[in-house]
Amino acid sequence: MTPHNDRSILLDARAFARALQRMAVEITELAPDADQLVLIGIQRRGVELAERLAQLIEKDEGVTIPRGALDITLYRDDLETVGPKPVIGETRIPGDLTGRHVVIVDDVLYTGRTVRAALDELADFGRPRRISLCVLVDRGGRELPIAADVVGKAVKTGPRDRVDVGVQELDGKDEVTVRRGGQA
Amino acid sequence: MTGLGKDLVGLEHLSPEQIRLILDTAEPFKEVSERPIKKVPALRGKTIVNLFFEASTRTRISFEFAEKRLSADTVNVAASGSSVSKGETLVDTARNLEAMRIDMVVIRHGSSGAAQFLGSRIRSNVVNAGDGKHEHPTQGLLDLLTIRDRHGRIEGLKVCLVGDILHSRVARSNLWGLTKLGAEVGVCGPRTLLPRGIEELGVQVFDRIEQAIEWADVLNVLRLQLERMESGFIPSLREYYRVFGVTAERLAAARRDLTIMHPGPMNRGVEIDSRVADGPHSVILDQVTNGVAIRMAVLYLLAGGKPELADAAKRAGGAE
């Protein structure tokens, strides 16, 4: 077992808030016509992050940002490893995505397989003009040619490390921690 | 016990947790059928054979939609016009199919125990789509889901099955599922069509439909198979309707609104009044809609779920 003192805080609540604020600005810079934006959070914590980012953009830009939720479980490439009790979350897409600028929001970007699945799933809901990717933490370790457009915090990790994101709504506080698992 | 194991033969051997897992997994699949593109790739590359030795329209089509909406490849085999009509045994038929590298078999058969028999002899997953008088588990599950949708719970509800309990695999699956999830179950029908000693299972028996209506929150009205009259279980269809028919007048006398269910196909004017079947408290078409979601959930859970692989995947790295 990994001893607990290997766990360090990557973002505390204040740094978390600053990262979100900066990410919101970067999203609007990415999308000059903010009224075309749709924020889609990936279940679970991406949904909360998308909600917060949408509120921040709405405050700054004075427009309403539609948001949705995407569960990619049924689009995974590893059904047989999903486990005996897969929990499939809600998928909620706000209207037709054709012609919109969709921003996928997730907590952690790692292998890229989740994003690959999300891209496939979004294609079944229409043909967005553009899809961008926004993540709170980019931990490296990509297995697919996928890159984020907006990143809250980048950190180098190994395959045995764990990155855990907590959000106020689900976990009681905003915090990102890294637990080092030692040499692989 | 987690997951569902290899086969779904009946609800008798499932735990309440496993039944709840199937119902909870069905919820997100309802939404898939409302999408502009009603398809997810979860079972891409899996081959499923629908092996129907008995006539079926609703169940076969429902399974087929479920399979196609999960992106599985499907083949339908009906007993007539196949090698079965040339005298091939069930196991030989299945082994030949398996030699063509299939992944799952959905079987409907006239003999009780056929699904269990097949499941123990082939490697593919087997789903029982109705075997003789034994069970029809996906029907039982979709009935549970429909009741839960309507009432928000199953525990503590009073559900009465009306009609031919003796010959009904739907009744049997309902009995197992409802009692495991904590509902009170009643049955109502002519004594000739009730299994002897059913009271000993903790089931309320009503000889009069009026009493059943007075007692129940939900009536699940079973189909009266017309050949029961020829074999002497009931005197005539008209008499059956007069004594046991679920009519608008009888329901109007009840103190509360009852939810009305029927597994189909209905005999209007025999077991159920058209005004009831098409009335505001009928959830008969919701049952059909839920049937696709339940079958998607069952196929998905049987296809996945290798616990050791899941644990390995989880160890490999935290959130994403």
Side-chain angles (χ1 to χ4, degrees), chain A residues 75-90:
Chain A
Y75 285 72
R76 286 173 65 149
D77 53 11
D78 57 350
L79 170 64
E80 291 184 349
T81 65
V82 170
K85 283 194 175 186
V87 180
I88 309 173
E90 182 194 23

Side-chain angles (χ1 to χ4, degrees), chain B:
Chain B
M1 175 76 189
T2 51
L4 289 191
K6 182 171 102 51
D7 306 323
L8 179 67
V9 169
L11 300 191
E12 179 178 0
H13 301 294
L14 292 186
S15 66
E17 292 69 37
Q18 288 173 311
I19 294 174
R20 278 189 212 104
L21 170 67
I22 300 171
L23 300 184
D24 293 344
T25 305
E27 287 297 335
F29 283 116
K30 290 181 188 170
E31 179 264 329
V32 171
S33 292
E34 306 296 332
R35 293 183 185 186
I37 294 178
K38 301 176 185 55
K39 208 176 183 68
V40 292
L43 294 194
R44 204 161 61 90
K46 300 270 180 201
T47 308
I48 304 180
V49 176
N50 299 314
L51 195 53
F52 277 65
F53 292 90
E54 272 187 354
S56 161
T57 308
R58 188 184 341 263
T59 303
R60 187 178 54 73
I61 292 176
S62 181
F63 266 108
E64 218 180 321
F65 275 138
E67 292 155 2
K68 287 185 183 342
R69 287 177 191 175
L70 291 170
S71 303
D73 296 309
T74 67
V75 176
N76 293 319
V77 182
S80 59
S82 73
S83 54
V84 174
S85 59
K86 297 178 188 165
E88 188 174 66
T89 67
L90 172 58
V91 166
D92 281 334
T93 304
R95 283 190 182 143
N96 276 277
L97 290 167
E98 207 162 43
M100 294 183 231
R101 302 290 176 262
I102 59 165
D103 299 291
M104 289 195 196
V105 178
V106 175
I107 181 173
R108 150 98 31 126
H109 200 283
S111 301
S112 305
Q116 164 89 59
F117 176 81
L118 188 65
S120 63
R121 279 162 183 80
I122 64 175
R123 283 189 307 277
S124 310
N125 304 103
V126 172
V127 182
N128 184 4
D131 61 331
K133 297 172 205 155
H134 174 230
E135 280 217 43
H136 189 354
T138 55
Q139 179 72 45
L141 289 163
L142 74 88
D143 288 344
L144 292 173
L145 183 63
T146 309
I147 293 171
R148 199 175 75 168
D149 284 353
R150 185 76 167 192
H151 293 269
R153 68 194 163 97
I154 289 168
E155 199 177 348
L157 282 179
K158 296 185 173 116
V159 182
C160 189
L161 307 168
V162 183
D164 182 357
I165 313 298
L166 183 63
H167 300 94
S168 173
R169 53 197 176 207
V170 175
R172 228 163 289 264
S173 289
N174 262 272
L175 271 170
W176 287 119
L178 287 165
T179 49
K180 278 169 198 266
L181 295 193
E184 287 182 59
V185 183
V187 295
C188 176
R191 282 282 167 171
T192 50
L193 293 177
L194 300 183
R196 229 175 301 160
I198 191 167
E199 297 91 339
E200 288 155 29
L201 298 174
V203 171
Q204 295 249 19
V205 177
F206 299 99
D207 289 312
R208 295 175 53 81
I209 186 71
E210 291 82 358
Q211 297 169 332
I213 288 171
E214 186 61 31
W215 176 82
D217 301 303
V218 178
L219 287 188
N220 197 347
V221 187
L222 304 176
R223 168 183 166 74
L224 186 77
Q225 291 180 321
L226 302 180
E227 56 269 29
R228 300 288 173 244
M229 188 178 63
E230 279 114 64
S231 38
F233 286 101
I234 54 165
S236 78
L237 295 180
R238 277 185 59 192
E239 176 157 336
Y240 183 85
Y241 186 64
R242 204 166 57 237
V243 181
F244 291 103
V246 177
T247 63
E249 288 75 15
R250 285 182 168 138
L251 288 175
R255 285 173 292 124
R256 51 191 162 179
D257 292 327
L258 275 73
T259 300
I260 304 296
M261 306 174 67
H262 192 298
M266 280 186 281
N267 298 306
R268 290 171 182 263
V270 177
E271 68 262 3
I272 193 165
D273 181 349
S274 272
R275 289 169 298 167
V276 174
D278 305 330
H281 305 296
S282 162
V283 291
I284 294 171
L285 292 176
D286 299 316
Q287 290 173 269
V288 179
T289 306
N290 280 343
V292 177
I294 278 288
R295 288 170 181 125
M296 288 171 83
V298 166
L299 296 168
Y300 175 74
L301 289 170
L302 290 178
K306 303 243 179 0
E308 41 326 321
L309 292 174
D311 289 344
K314 216 172 286 162
R315 277 197 302 276
E320 187 180 45

